[in-house]
Amino acid sequence: MAEGFSHIHDRKAYLKRLYIASVLMSVGNDLINSYLPHPNGAMVINGMFATLFIVGLYMEKNSPARICACGSGQNPCMIKRP
């Protein structure tokens, strides 16, 4: 998550895709649990994308200003978060 988040160009779009994936996964889990019940009562519970979305929100909110290389990379410059 940290590696992908550091290389993404549009963080809001990335978080939006994670949110949509988490909603779709949640709906899919509900459908599977409703229409294909396990005989012993076990349920499908998978919130991987929801967890990644929450981690991404935390990283976006708490990330310090990023440092980039200006020109040849010898003089770092600070870029403030939008």
Side-chain angles (χ1 to χ4, degrees):
M1 178 71 189
E3 186 70 24
F5 205 72
S6 66
H7 292 291
I8 197 76
H9 294 289
D10 189 358
R11 291 182 176 186
K12 288 184 182 184
Y14 185 60
L15 290 173
K16 182 179 172 182
R17 287 191 301 266
L18 282 175
Y19 176 74
I20 290 169
S22 71
V23 169
L24 292 175
M25 182 173 275
S26 182
V27 169
N29 289 341
D30 288 342
L31 289 173
I32 289 171
N33 289 327
S34 297
Y35 293 109
L36 300 170
H38 192 274
N40 296 332
M43 297 179 71
V44 174
I45 301 172
N46 189 353
M48 176 184 71
F49 288 114
T51 303
L52 290 174
F53 173 70
I54 292 169
V55 170
L57 283 178
Y58 179 80
M59 288 170 61
E60 177 64 23
K61 181 173 173 55
N62 296 315
S63 65
R66 297 177 303 217
I67 298 176
C68 73
C70 296
S72 64
Q74 296 173 354
N75 300 322
C77 64
M78 296 299 288
I79 297 177
K80 298 197 186 262
R81 285 188 333 173

Coordinates of all heavy atoms in Angstrom, one line a residue:
M1 N 0.8 -1.2 0.0 CA 0.0 0.0 0.0 C 0.9 1.2 0.0 O 0.6 2.2 -0.7 CB -0.9 0.0 1.2 CG -1.8 1.1 1.4 SD -3.1 1.1 0.2 CE -3.8 2.7 0.4
A2 N 1.9 1.3 0.8 CA 2.8 2.4 0.9 C 3.5 2.7 -0.4 O 3.7 3.8 -0.8 CB 3.8 2.3 2.1
E3 N 4.0 1.6 -1.0 CA 4.7 1.7 -2.3 C 3.8 2.3 -3.4 O 4.2 3.2 -4.1 CB 5.3 0.4 -2.7 CG 6.2 0.4 -3.9 CD 7.5 1.2 -3.6 OE1 7.9 1.2 -2.5 OE2 8.1 1.7 -4.6
G4 N 2.6 1.7 -3.5 CA 1.7 2.2 -4.5 C 1.2 3.6 -4.3 O 1.1 4.4 -5.2
F5 N 1.0 3.9 -3.0 CA 0.5 5.3 -2.7 C 1.6 6.3 -3.0 O 1.2 7.5 -3.3 CB 0.1 5.3 -1.2 CG -0.9 6.3 -0.8 CD1 -2.2 6.2 -1.2 CD2 -0.5 7.4 -0.1 CE1 -3.1 7.1 -0.9 CE2 -1.4 8.4 0.2 CZ -2.7 8.2 -0.1
S6 N 2.8 6.0 -2.9 CA 3.9 6.9 -3.1 C 4.1 7.2 -4.6 O 4.6 8.2 -5.0 CB 5.2 6.5 -2.5 OG 5.7 5.3 -3.1
H7 N 3.7 6.3 -5.5 CA 3.9 6.4 -6.9 C 2.7 6.9 -7.7 O 2.7 7.1 -8.9 CB 4.4 5.1 -7.5 CG 5.8 4.8 -7.1 ND1 6.9 5.5 -7.4 CD2 6.3 3.8 -6.2 CE1 8.0 5.0 -6.9 NE2 7.6 3.9 -6.1
I8 N 1.5 6.9 -7.0 CA 0.3 7.3 -7.7 C 0.3 8.8 -7.9 O 0.8 9.6 -7.2 CB -0.9 6.8 -6.8 CG1 -2.2 6.8 -7.7 CG2 -1.1 7.7 -5.6 CD1 -2.3 5.6 -8.6
H9 N -0.3 9.2 -9.1 CA -0.4 10.6 -9.4 C -1.6 11.3 -8.9 O -1.5 12.5 -8.5 CB -0.4 10.8 -10.9 CG 0.9 10.3 -11.6 ND1 2.1 11.1 -11.4 CD2 1.2 9.3 -12.3 CE1 3.1 10.4 -12.0 NE2 2.6 9.3 -12.6
D10 N -2.7 10.6 -8.8 CA -4.0 11.2 -8.3 C -4.5 10.4 -7.1 O -5.1 9.3 -7.3 CB -5.0 11.2 -9.4 CG -6.3 12.0 -9.0 OD1 -6.4 12.5 -7.9 OD2 -7.2 12.1 -9.9
R11 N -4.1 10.8 -5.9 CA -4.4 10.1 -4.7 C -5.9 10.0 -4.5 O -6.4 9.0 -4.0 CB -3.7 10.7 -3.5 CG -2.3 10.5 -3.5 CD -1.6 11.1 -2.3 NE -0.2 10.8 -2.3 CZ 0.6 11.1 -1.3 NH1 0.2 11.7 -0.3 NH2 1.9 10.8 -1.4
K12 N -6.7 11.0 -4.8 CA -8.1 11.0 -4.6 C -8.8 10.0 -5.4 O -9.7 9.2 -5.0 CB -8.7 12.4 -4.8 CG -8.4 13.3 -3.7 CD -9.0 14.7 -3.9 CE -8.6 15.6 -2.7 NZ -9.2 16.9 -2.8
A13 N -8.3 9.9 -6.7 CA -8.9 8.8 -7.6 C -8.5 7.4 -7.1 O -9.4 6.5 -7.2 CB -8.4 9.0 -9.0
Y14 N -7.4 7.3 -6.6 CA -6.9 6.0 -6.0 C -7.8 5.6 -4.8 O -8.3 4.5 -4.8 CB -5.4 6.1 -5.6 CG -4.8 4.8 -5.1 CD1 -4.7 3.7 -6.0 CD2 -4.2 4.8 -3.9 CE1 -4.1 2.6 -5.5 CE2 -3.6 3.6 -3.4 CZ -3.5 2.5 -4.3 OH -2.9 1.4 -3.8
L15 N -8.0 6.5 -3.9 CA -8.9 6.3 -2.8 C -10.3 6.0 -3.2 O -11.0 5.1 -2.6 CB -8.8 7.4 -1.8 CG -7.5 7.6 -1.0 CD1 -7.5 8.8 -0.2 CD2 -7.2 6.3 -0.2
K16 N -10.8 6.7 -4.2 CA -12.1 6.5 -4.7 C -12.3 5.1 -5.3 O -13.3 4.4 -5.0 CB -12.4 7.5 -5.8 CG -13.8 7.4 -6.4 CD -14.0 8.5 -7.5 CE -15.3 8.4 -8.2 NZ -15.4 9.4 -9.2
R17 N -11.3 4.6 -6.1 CA -11.3 3.2 -6.6 C -11.3 2.2 -5.5 O -12.0 1.2 -5.5 CB -10.1 3.0 -7.5 CG -10.3 3.7 -8.9 CD -9.3 3.2 -9.9 NE -7.9 3.4 -9.5 CZ -7.2 4.5 -9.8 NH1 -7.7 5.5 -10.5 NH2 -5.9 4.6 -9.3
L18 N -10.5 2.4 -4.4 CA -10.5 1.5 -3.3 C -11.8 1.5 -2.6 O -12.3 0.4 -2.2 CB -9.4 1.9 -2.3 CG -8.0 1.5 -2.7 CD1 -7.0 2.1 -1.6 CD2 -7.8 0.0 -2.8
Y19 N -12.5 2.6 -2.5 CA -13.8 2.7 -1.8 C -14.8 1.9 -2.6 O -15.6 1.2 -2.1 CB -14.2 4.2 -1.6 CG -15.6 4.3 -1.0 CD1 -15.8 4.0 0.3 CD2 -16.7 4.6 -1.8 CE1 -17.1 4.1 0.8 CE2 -17.9 4.7 -1.3 CZ -18.1 4.4 0.0 OH -19.4 4.5 0.6
I20 N -14.8 2.2 -3.9 CA -15.8 1.5 -4.8 C -15.5 0.0 -4.7 O -16.5 -0.8 -4.7 CB -15.7 2.0 -6.2 CG1 -16.2 3.4 -6.3 CG2 -16.4 1.1 -7.2 CD1 -16.0 4.1 -7.6
A21 N -14.3 -0.5 -4.8 CA -14.0 -1.9 -4.7 C -14.4 -2.5 -3.3 O -15.0 -3.6 -3.3 CB -12.5 -2.1 -4.8
S22 N -14.3 -1.7 -2.2 CA -14.7 -2.2 -0.9 C -16.3 -2.3 -0.9 O -16.8 -3.3 -0.3 CB -14.2 -1.3 0.2 OG -14.9 0.0 0.2
V23 N -17.0 -1.4 -1.5 CA -18.5 -1.5 -1.5 C -18.9 -2.7 -2.3 O -19.8 -3.5 -1.9 CB -19.1 -0.2 -2.1 CG1 -20.6 -0.4 -2.4 CG2 -18.9 1.0 -1.1
L24 N -18.3 -2.9 -3.5 CA -18.6 -4.0 -4.4 C -18.3 -5.4 -3.7 O -19.1 -6.3 -3.8 CB -17.9 -3.9 -5.7 CG -18.3 -2.8 -6.6 CD1 -17.5 -2.8 -7.9 CD2 -19.8 -3.0 -7.0
M25 N -17.2 -5.4 -2.9 CA -16.8 -6.6 -2.2 C -17.8 -6.9 -1.1 O -18.2 -8.0 -0.9 CB -15.4 -6.5 -1.7 CG -15.0 -7.8 -1.0 SD -13.3 -7.8 -0.5 CE -12.5 -8.3 -2.0
S26 N -18.3 -5.8 -0.4 CA -19.2 -6.0 0.6 C -20.6 -6.5 0.1 O -21.2 -7.4 0.7 CB -19.4 -4.6 1.3 OG -20.3 -4.8 2.4
V27 N -21.0 -6.0 -1.0 CA -22.2 -6.5 -1.7 C -22.1 -7.9 -2.1 O -23.0 -8.7 -1.9 CB -22.6 -5.6 -2.9 CG1 -23.7 -6.2 -3.7 CG2 -23.0 -4.2 -2.4
G28 N -20.9 -8.2 -2.7 CA -20.7 -9.6 -3.1 C -20.7 -10.6 -1.9 O -21.2 -11.7 -2.0
N29 N -20.1 -10.2 -0.8 CA -20.1 -11.0 0.4 C -21.5 -11.2 0.9 O -21.9 -12.4 1.3 CB -19.3 -10.4 1.5 CG -17.8 -10.4 1.3 OD1 -17.3 -11.2 0.5 ND2 -17.1 -9.5 1.9
D30 N -22.4 -10.2 0.9 CA -23.8 -10.3 1.3 C -24.5 -11.3 0.4 O -25.3 -12.1 0.9 CB -24.4 -9.0 1.3 CG -24.0 -8.1 2.5 OD1 -23.4 -8.7 3.5 OD2 -24.2 -6.9 2.4
L31 N -24.3 -11.2 -0.9 CA -25.0 -12.0 -1.9 C -24.6 -13.5 -1.7 O -25.4 -14.4 -1.7 CB -24.7 -11.6 -3.3 CG -25.4 -10.3 -3.8 CD1 -24.9 -9.9 -5.1 CD2 -26.9 -10.4 -3.7
I32 N -23.3 -13.7 -1.5 CA -22.8 -15.1 -1.3 C -23.4 -15.7 0.0 O -23.8 -16.8 0.0 CB -21.3 -15.1 -1.3 CG1 -20.7 -14.9 -2.7 CG2 -20.7 -16.5 -0.7 CD1 -19.2 -14.7 -2.8
N33 N -23.4 -14.9 1.0 CA -23.9 -15.4 2.3 C -25.4 -15.6 2.3 O -25.9 -16.5 3.0 CB -23.5 -14.4 3.5 CG -22.1 -14.4 3.8 OD1 -21.4 -15.4 3.7 ND2 -21.5 -13.3 4.2
S34 N -26.1 -14.8 1.5 CA -27.6 -15.0 1.4 C -28.0 -16.2 0.5 O -28.9 -17.0 0.9 CB -28.2 -13.7 0.8 OG -28.0 -12.6 1.7
Y35 N -27.3 -16.3 -0.7 CA -27.8 -17.3 -1.6 C -27.0 -18.6 -1.6 O -27.5 -19.6 -2.1 CB -27.7 -16.7 -3.1 CG -28.7 -15.6 -3.3 CD1 -28.3 -14.3 -3.4 CD2 -30.1 -15.9 -3.3 CE1 -29.2 -13.3 -3.5 CE2 -31.0 -14.9 -3.5 CZ -30.6 -13.6 -3.6 OH -31.5 -12.5 -3.7
L36 N -25.9 -18.6 -1.0 CA -25.1 -19.9 -0.8 C -24.7 -20.1 0.6 O -23.5 -20.1 1.0 CB -23.8 -19.8 -1.7 CG -24.0 -19.6 -3.2 CD1 -22.7 -19.3 -3.9 CD2 -24.7 -20.8 -3.8
P37 N -25.7 -20.3 1.5 CA -25.3 -20.4 2.9 C -24.6 -21.7 3.2 O -24.8 -22.7 2.5 CB -26.7 -20.4 3.6 CG -27.6 -20.9 2.6 CD -27.1 -20.4 1.3
H38 N -23.6 -21.6 4.1 CA -22.9 -22.8 4.5 C -23.7 -23.6 5.5 O -24.4 -23.1 6.3 CB -21.6 -22.3 5.2 CG -20.6 -23.4 5.4 ND1 -20.6 -24.2 6.5 CD2 -19.5 -23.8 4.7 CE1 -19.6 -25.1 6.4 NE2 -19.0 -24.9 5.3
P39 N -23.7 -24.9 5.4 CA -24.5 -25.8 6.2 C -24.2 -25.6 7.7 O -25.1 -25.7 8.5 CB -24.2 -27.2 5.8 CG -23.4 -27.1 4.5 CD -22.9 -25.7 4.4
N40 N -23.0 -25.3 8.1 CA -22.7 -25.1 9.5 C -22.8 -23.7 10.0 O -22.4 -23.4 11.1 CB -21.2 -25.6 9.7 CG -21.1 -27.1 9.5 OD1 -22.1 -27.8 9.6 ND2 -19.9 -27.5 9.1
G41 N -23.3 -22.8 9.1 CA -23.5 -21.4 9.5 C -22.3 -20.5 9.3 O -22.3 -19.3 9.7
A42 N -21.2 -21.0 8.7 CA -20.0 -20.2 8.4 C -20.4 -19.1 7.4 O -21.3 -19.2 6.6 CB -18.9 -21.0 7.9
M43 N -19.7 -17.9 7.5 CA -20.0 -16.8 6.6 C -18.7 -16.3 6.0 O -17.7 -16.4 6.5 CB -20.6 -15.6 7.4 CG -22.0 -16.0 8.0 SD -22.7 -14.6 8.9 CE -23.1 -13.5 7.6
V44 N -18.9 -15.8 4.8 CA -17.8 -15.1 4.1 C -17.7 -13.7 4.6 O -18.6 -12.9 4.5 CB -18.0 -15.1 2.5 CG1 -16.9 -14.4 1.8 CG2 -18.2 -16.5 2.0
I45 N -16.5 -13.4 5.2 CA -16.3 -12.0 5.7 C -14.9 -11.7 5.1 O -13.9 -12.2 5.5 CB -16.3 -12.0 7.2 CG1 -17.6 -12.5 7.7 CG2 -16.0 -10.6 7.7 CD1 -17.6 -12.6 9.3
N46 N -14.9 -10.7 4.1 CA -13.7 -10.3 3.5 C -13.7 -8.8 3.3 O -14.5 -8.3 2.5 CB -13.5 -11.1 2.2 CG -12.1 -10.8 1.6 OD1 -11.3 -10.0 2.1 ND2 -11.8 -11.5 0.6
G47 N -12.9 -8.1 4.0 CA -12.9 -6.6 3.9 C -11.5 -6.1 3.5 O -11.1 -5.0 4.0
M48 N -10.9 -6.8 2.6 CA -9.5 -6.4 2.3 C -9.5 -4.9 1.7 O -8.7 -4.1 2.1 CB -8.9 -7.3 1.2 CG -7.6 -7.0 0.7 SD -7.0 -8.1 -0.6 CE -8.1 -7.6 -1.9
F49 N -10.4 -4.6 0.8 CA -10.4 -3.3 0.1 C -10.8 -2.2 1.1 O -10.3 -1.1 1.1 CB -11.2 -3.3 -1.1 CG -10.6 -4.0 -2.2 CD1 -11.2 -5.2 -2.7 CD2 -9.5 -3.6 -2.8 CE1 -10.7 -5.9 -3.8 CE2 -8.9 -4.3 -3.9 CZ -9.5 -5.4 -4.4
A50 N -11.7 -2.6 2.0 CA -12.1 -1.6 3.1 C -10.9 -1.2 4.0 O -10.7 -0.1 4.3 CB -13.3 -2.1 3.9
T51 N -10.1 -2.2 4.3 CA -9.0 -2.0 5.1 C -7.9 -1.2 4.4 O -7.4 -0.2 5.0 CB -8.3 -3.4 5.6 OG1 -9.3 -4.1 6.2 CG2 -7.1 -3.2 6.5
L52 N -7.7 -1.5 3.1 CA -6.8 -0.7 2.3 C -7.3 0.8 2.2 O -6.5 1.7 2.2 CB -6.6 -1.3 0.9 CG -5.8 -2.6 0.9 CD1 -5.8 -3.2 -0.5 CD2 -4.4 -2.4 1.4
F53 N -8.6 1.0 2.0 CA -9.1 2.3 1.9 C -8.9 3.1 3.2 O -8.5 4.2 3.2 CB -10.6 2.2 1.6 CG -11.3 3.5 1.7 CD1 -11.1 4.5 0.7 CD2 -12.2 3.8 2.7 CE1 -11.8 5.7 0.7 CE2 -12.9 5.0 2.7 CZ -12.6 6.0 1.7
I54 N -9.1 2.5 4.4 CA -8.9 3.1 5.6 C -7.4 3.5 5.8 O -7.1 4.6 6.3 CB -9.4 2.3 6.8 CG1 -11.0 2.2 6.7 CG2 -9.0 2.8 8.1 CD1 -11.6 1.2 7.6
V55 N -6.5 2.6 5.5 CA -5.1 2.8 5.6 C -4.7 4.0 4.6 O -3.9 4.9 5.0 CB -4.3 1.6 5.2 CG1 -2.8 1.9 5.1 CG2 -4.5 0.5 6.3
G56 N -5.3 4.0 3.4 CA -5.0 5.1 2.5 C -5.5 6.4 3.0 O -4.8 7.4 2.8
L57 N -6.7 6.5 3.6 CA -7.2 7.7 4.2 C -6.2 8.2 5.3 O -5.9 9.4 5.4 CB -8.5 7.5 4.8 CG -9.7 7.5 3.9 CD1 -11.0 7.2 4.6 CD2 -9.8 8.8 3.1
Y58 N -5.7 7.3 6.1 CA -4.8 7.6 7.2 C -3.5 8.2 6.6 O -3.0 9.2 7.1 CB -4.5 6.4 8.1 CG -3.6 6.7 9.2 CD1 -4.0 7.3 10.4 CD2 -2.2 6.3 9.1 CE1 -3.1 7.6 11.4 CE2 -1.3 6.6 10.1 CZ -1.8 7.2 11.3 OH -0.9 7.5 12.3
M59 N -3.0 7.5 5.6 CA -1.8 7.9 5.0 C -1.9 9.3 4.3 O -1.0 10.1 4.4 CB -1.3 6.9 3.9 CG -0.8 5.6 4.5 SD -0.5 4.3 3.3 CE 0.7 5.1 2.3
E60 N -3.0 9.6 3.7 CA -3.3 10.9 3.0 C -3.4 12.0 4.1 O -2.8 13.0 3.9 CB -4.5 10.8 2.2 CG -4.9 12.1 1.6 CD -3.9 12.6 0.5 OE1 -3.1 11.8 0.0 OE2 -3.9 13.8 0.3
K61 N -4.0 11.7 5.2 CA -4.2 12.7 6.2 C -3.0 13.0 7.0 O -2.7 14.1 7.3 CB -5.3 12.3 7.2 CG -5.6 13.3 8.3 CD -6.8 12.9 9.0 CE -7.1 13.7 10.2 NZ -7.2 15.1 10.0
N62 N -2.2 12.0 7.2 CA -1.0 12.1 8.1 C 0.4 12.2 7.4 O 1.4 12.1 8.0 CB -1.0 11.0 9.1 CG -2.2 11.1 10.0 OD1 -2.5 12.2 10.5 ND2 -2.9 10.0 10.3
S63 N 0.4 12.2 6.0 CA 1.6 12.2 5.4 C 2.3 13.6 5.4 O 1.6 14.6 5.2 CB 1.5 11.8 3.9 OG 0.7 12.7 3.2
P64 N 3.5 13.7 5.7 CA 4.2 15.0 5.7 C 4.4 15.5 4.3 O 4.1 14.8 3.3 CB 5.6 14.7 6.3 CG 5.8 13.3 6.0 CD 4.4 12.6 6.0
A65 N 4.9 16.7 4.1 CA 5.1 17.2 2.8 C 6.1 16.3 2.1 O 7.1 15.8 2.7 CB 5.7 18.7 2.9
R66 N 5.9 16.1 0.8 CA 6.8 15.2 0.1 C 8.1 16.0 -0.4 O 8.0 17.2 -0.7 CB 6.1 14.6 -1.1 CG 4.9 13.8 -0.7 CD 4.2 13.3 -1.9 NE 3.8 14.5 -2.7 CZ 2.7 14.6 -3.4 NH1 1.8 13.6 -3.4 NH2 2.4 15.6 -4.1
I67 N 9.2 15.3 -0.5 CA 10.4 15.9 -1.0 C 10.6 15.4 -2.4 O 10.5 14.2 -2.7 CB 11.6 15.5 -0.1 CG1 11.4 16.0 1.3 CG2 12.9 16.0 -0.7 CD1 12.5 15.7 2.3
C68 N 10.9 16.2 -3.3 CA 11.2 15.8 -4.7 C 12.6 16.3 -5.1 O 13.1 17.2 -4.4 CB 10.2 16.4 -5.7 SG 10.3 18.1 -6.0
A69 N 13.1 15.8 -6.1 CA 14.4 16.2 -6.6 C 14.2 17.3 -7.7 O 13.4 17.1 -8.6 CB 15.2 15.1 -7.2
C70 N 14.8 18.4 -7.5 CA 14.7 19.5 -8.5 C 15.9 19.5 -9.4 O 17.0 19.4 -9.0 CB 14.6 20.9 -7.8 SG 13.2 21.1 -6.8
G71 N 15.6 19.4 -10.7 CA 16.7 19.4 -11.7 C 17.5 18.2 -11.6 O 17.0 17.1 -11.9
S72 N 18.8 18.3 -11.2 CA 19.7 17.1 -11.3 C 19.5 16.2 -10.1 O 20.1 15.2 -10.0 CB 21.1 17.6 -11.3 OG 21.4 18.3 -10.1
G73 N 18.6 16.6 -9.1 CA 18.4 15.7 -7.9 C 19.3 16.1 -6.8 O 19.3 15.5 -5.7
Q74 N 20.2 17.1 -6.9 CA 21.1 17.4 -5.9 C 20.5 18.4 -4.9 O 20.8 18.5 -3.7 CB 22.4 18.0 -6.4 CG 23.1 17.0 -7.2 CD 24.3 17.6 -7.9 OE1 24.5 18.8 -7.9 NE2 25.1 16.8 -8.6
N75 N 19.5 19.2 -5.4 CA 18.9 20.2 -4.5 C 17.4 19.9 -4.3 O 16.6 20.1 -5.1 CB 18.9 21.6 -5.2 CG 20.3 22.1 -5.4 OD1 21.2 21.8 -4.6 ND2 20.5 22.7 -6.5
P76 N 17.1 19.2 -3.1 CA 15.7 18.9 -2.9 C 14.8 20.1 -2.7 O 15.3 21.1 -2.2 CB 15.8 18.0 -1.6 CG 17.0 18.4 -1.0 CD 18.0 18.9 -2.0
C77 N 13.6 20.0 -3.1 CA 12.7 21.1 -2.9 C 11.4 20.5 -2.2 O 11.1 19.3 -2.4 CB 12.3 21.7 -4.2 SG 11.4 20.6 -5.4
M78 N 10.7 21.3 -1.5 CA 9.6 20.8 -0.8 C 8.3 21.1 -1.6 O 8.2 22.2 -2.2 CB 9.4 21.5 0.6 CG 10.6 21.2 1.5 SD 10.7 19.5 1.9 CE 9.3 19.3 3.0
I79 N 7.4 20.1 -1.7 CA 6.2 20.3 -2.4 C 5.1 20.1 -1.3 O 5.0 19.1 -0.7 CB 6.0 19.3 -3.5 CG1 7.0 19.5 -4.6 CG2 4.6 19.4 -4.1 CD1 6.9 18.4 -5.7
K80 N 4.3 21.1 -1.1 CA 3.2 21.0 -0.1 C 2.1 20.2 -0.7 O 1.8 20.2 -1.9 CB 2.7 22.4 0.3 CG 3.8 23.2 0.9 CD 3.2 24.3 1.7 CE 4.3 25.2 2.2 NZ 4.7 25.0 3.5
R81 N 1.4 19.5 0.2 CA 0.2 18.7 -0.2 C -0.9 19.6 -0.7 O -1.0 20.7 -0.2 CB -0.3 17.9 0.9 CG 0.5 16.7 1.3 CD -0.2 15.9 2.3 NE -1.1 16.6 3.1 CZ -2.0 16.1 4.0 NH1 -2.0 14.8 4.2 NH2 -2.8 16.8 4.8
P82 N -1.6 19.2 -1.8 CA -2.7 20.0 -2.2 C -3.9 20.0 -1.2 O -4.0 19.3 -0.4 CB -3.1 19.3 -3.5 CG -2.5 18.0 -3.5 CD -1.4 18.0 -2.5

